[in-house]
Amino acid sequence: MFGDKSGVFSKLVPQASAFLKQLEALNLPPIEHVPVGLSRDSYEKLARYQGGVPVSVVRTEDRLIFSRLNHNIPIRIYWPSLQQELPLLLYFHGGGGIVKLS
């Protein structure tokens, strides 16, 4: 799946490295060979296993961030229902070109 021939795992924080090693040890088929429904279900189960109970979202906010390349970058901010401070998760989505809907 990911492989670590270049030693990338050792450059990550220990938790991320351990997670990727566990994922690799499962020897799962490539994502493009897994039906979309099963892939979504597996992702949900993995997220719950890794992170516990999901936090409910009170609202979302769509914004644009200015880019020097003459186009704006759309972002979405999720506001949790919790009243305590939470860490920031910045997620860069590279697209969805790996799943074929047939």
Side-chain angles (χ1 to χ4, degrees), residues 2 10 17 20 27 32 37 42 46 49 54 59 66 70 72 83-84:
F2 295 102
S10 65
S17 178
L20 291 176
N27 199 26
E32 63 270 16
S42 297
L46 179 63
Y49 174 76
R59 67 183 170 104
F66 175 75
N70 288 333
N72 293 321
Q83 297 299 315
Q84 65 193 53

Side-chain angles (χ1 to χ4, degrees), residues 83-96:
Q83 297 299 315
Q84 65 193 53
E85 284 190 29
L86 295 173
L88 172 70
L89 171 64
L90 186 58
Y91 179 73
F92 293 92
H93 190 285

Side-chain angles (χ1 to χ4, degrees), residues 64-80:
L64 296 173
I65 295 178
F66 175 75
S67 167
R68 286 188 270 163
L69 301 175
N70 288 333
H71 66 278
N72 293 321
I73 301 168
I75 66 166
R76 176 167 289 157
I77 302 170
Y78 293 89
W79 299 94

